Amino acid sequence: MTLSCIAPSEKLIVALDLPDAAQAWKMVERLGDSVGFYKIGMELAYGGGLELAPELTAAGKQVFIDLKLHDIGHTVEKAVAQIARLGARFLTVHAFPQTLAAARRGAEGSSLQVLGVTVMTSYDDSDLVAAGYRLTLRELVALRALQAKEAGIAGLILSADEAPAIRALVGADLLLVTPGIRLAGAALGDQKRVATPLEAIARGADFIVVGRPVLAAPEPREAALAIQREIAEALASPNA
Ligand code: C5P
């Protein structure tokens, strides 16, 4: 899948990082038609929010379930098959070879697309050293990207910094989805490898995932629309 297949308005995925389905739904109503794609992550899912997935789909929204699964292959395969029934488009698993292969098997025959998490965007090289890795962040992202391609999954989660090198490595077939998005001059929170929406799209991201910059904005709908404008600006630039 190439960039041109995805409508600009679909490229923004808002992370509904809220404690329960009621608050998440209130945010969805507040954002209205400014957002067509939502991510249900761990906070919301463990607060009973998985039930929102079919409701969002019924309301014409696309859904990304971000549970970052990682377990023995049998368990991952069965869990992915269960999640595939919810009607979501994307699901994340950690990009370890056994986990990727099991997730692909679990999603077989459904429309669920598996995304492999390469290295968290809140990590830098020193976090990898502390966790016992000998590879640099860039080396580890590249290794996991190749393993994800080998496993035949749909795409990768990575930071916008790595997107150009990884696109060159894996080609056009894998979707590149980038969290760690911050508006110019904004607080980073716990994210370390960040980019603006414009930078991320210009570097080849197919989708950007944005949580706090929308949820914590005084006017979330305005923030989402401003991000959509940046996406459109990046796509209109000659290098897009
Ligand atoms: O609030 P913020 O925009 O930092 O939220 C980013 C979202 O993307 C969070 O829901 C987080 O769990 C998710 N994410 C991430 N880094 C990854 C994978 C997912 O920040 N590598």
Side-chain angles (χ1 to χ4, degrees):
M1 173 158 321
T2 58
L3 286 176
S4 56
C5 302
I6 307 161
S9 58
E10 266 187 58
K11 287 175 175 282
L12 169 63
I13 302 175
V14 169
L16 288 171
D17 291 334
L18 293 163
D20 58 45
Q23 290 185 58
W25 195 255
K26 212 182 262 178
M27 180 57 70
V28 169
E29 285 179 339
R30 216 170 153 191
L31 290 167
D33 60 6
S34 68
V35 175
F37 209 148
Y38 286 102
K39 181 169 90 68
I40 298 174
M42 291 186 201
E43 180 185 3
L44 181 55
Y46 297 138
L50 275 185
E51 69 192 30
L52 266 187
E55 290 175 27
L56 284 166
T57 308
K61 309 292 182 187
Q62 298 195 75
V63 178
F64 170 1
I65 296 185
D66 183 21
L67 293 181
K68 301 185 180 70
L69 302 181
H70 190 201
D71 204 316
I72 60 169
H74 176 78
T75 303
V76 169
E77 182 177 340
K78 298 293 177 192
V80 172
Q82 296 278 36
I83 292 166
R85 298 187 193 154
L86 295 174
R89 175 165 175 192
F90 291 150
L91 168 70
T92 45
V93 302
H94 280 285
F96 285 74
Q98 282 187 14
T99 304
L100 293 164
R104 191 190 40 74
R105 288 194 302 273
E108 245 159 37
S110 78
S111 56
L112 185 67
Q113 294 181 295
V114 175
L115 304 177
V117 178
T118 54
V119 177
M120 311 305 303
T121 45
S122 58
Y123 286 15
D124 61 17
D125 279 319
S126 69
D127 293 302
L128 290 185
V129 171
Y133 286 90
R134 293 189 182 174
L135 299 181
T136 64
L137 200 144
R138 279 174 186 266
E139 288 167 344
L140 186 56
V141 172
L143 175 69
R144 289 183 169 168
L146 288 174
Q147 289 171 335
K149 183 170 178 171
E150 174 77 26
I153 63 157
L156 298 166
I157 308 284
L158 73 179
S159 96
D161 282 352
E162 291 115 34
I166 298 303
R167 177 66 76 201
L169 192 66
V170 300
D173 292 342
L174 288 185
L175 294 169
L176 301 186
V177 180
T178 63
I181 301 297
R182 290 294 175 265
L183 303 179
L188 299 192
D190 55 354
Q191 300 283 16
K192 290 183 179 162
R193 287 146 51 228
V194 301
T196 65
L198 192 140
E199 287 165 343
I201 297 294
R203 289 176 197 164
D206 294 300
F207 296 90
I208 60 172
V209 177
V210 184
R212 288 162 286 186
V214 168
L215 303 188
E219 294 294 340
R221 186 183 158 84
E222 292 313 311
L225 290 171
I227 292 169
Q228 302 275 15
R229 283 195 294 275
E230 271 198 44
I231 292 173
E233 195 186 324
L235 291 172
S237 90
N239 300 325

